[in-house]
Amino acid sequence: MSATISSITVRPARLKDVVGIHALLTHWADKKLLLPRSLSELYENVRDFMVAEAEVGGLVGCAALHIDTDKIAELKALAVASAAHGQGVGRKLVDACCREAANIGLEKVFCLTYQVDFFTKLGFAKVDRSRLPDKVWSECIRCHRFLDCDEVAMWRAVGT
């Protein structure tokens, strides 16, 4: 376990964060745990992202909330720097995205994940993939596991 990092602030991403988000996502994409994202894609979608910033150490995490319909959004691109694992950064990012989803009137947030235990602790439940919006699958073609996907679909109610 790494040393405890300084206090964490979760906030909406800014353009100046994109290079750091890209580096963080690339680290995990290289390990085949996330989809790779280009800088141009991140700039186009920066408003979907929340970042976790350590008082000392800078960017330590990110997550995106991507709206799919008037009722549901996908939580995606959740990544936490190795040095910050086990310190609540992922939970803070997920909670911030779910609060935002509720604030704008969504009913549910879903994710596709290998981290089932983590998301279960945060109130997500497994769901059959057929219940997710069709446009979710438009990104799947970029995945190295496209023809043999083993990610688990999960969702959580967030609406008031």
Side-chain angles (χ1 to χ4, degrees):
M1 175 95 169
S2 59
T4 302
I5 57 175
S6 62
S7 66
I8 301 294
T9 301
V10 174
R11 60 168 174 76
R14 301 179 190 124
L15 290 171
K16 71 177 182 81
D17 298 316
V18 169
V19 171
I21 292 169
H22 183 258
L24 189 56
L25 295 177
T26 298
H27 171 78
W28 296 111
D30 288 349
K31 296 178 183 305
K32 308 283 191 223
L33 295 172
L34 286 176
L35 284 178
R37 310 245 179 225
S38 68
L39 277 170
S40 63
E41 179 184 359
L42 294 173
Y43 280 116
E44 289 172 10
N45 295 289
V46 69
R47 289 177 287 187
D48 287 354
F49 277 86
M50 301 292 281
V51 294
E53 188 172 43
E55 187 177 1
V56 176
L59 189 79
V60 294
C62 65
L65 180 71
H66 183 77
I67 299 169
D68 286 298
T69 72
D70 63 333
K71 297 187 182 346
I72 193 165
E74 181 178 5
L75 175 77
K76 60 186 186 177
L78 173 62
V80 175
S82 297
H85 278 195
Q87 298 184 42
V89 174
R91 173 182 291 273
K92 288 179 181 182
L93 286 161
V94 171
D95 287 346
C97 287
C98 288
R99 276 193 307 278
E100 175 65 12
N103 287 342
I104 62 175
L106 292 166
E107 295 174 7
K108 290 186 179 173
V109 169
F110 74 91
C111 64
L112 297 166
T113 187
Y114 299 113
Q115 307 303 321
V116 174
D117 291 342
F118 171 78
F119 282 100
T120 299
K121 289 176 189 172
L122 299 180
F124 284 74
K126 291 181 184 178
V127 63
D128 189 283
R129 293 168 187 234
S130 66
R131 300 195 58 196
L132 301 178
D134 287 340
K135 64 180 167 177
V136 169
W137 311 115
S138 65
E139 289 187 1
C140 294
I141 193 98
R142 294 187 299 157
C143 182
H144 67 286
R145 292 185 175 126
F146 176 56
L147 297 175
D148 190 28
C149 181
D150 57 348
E151 283 188 309
V152 176
M154 301 184 79
W155 65 12
R156 168 179 151 182
V158 296
T160 54

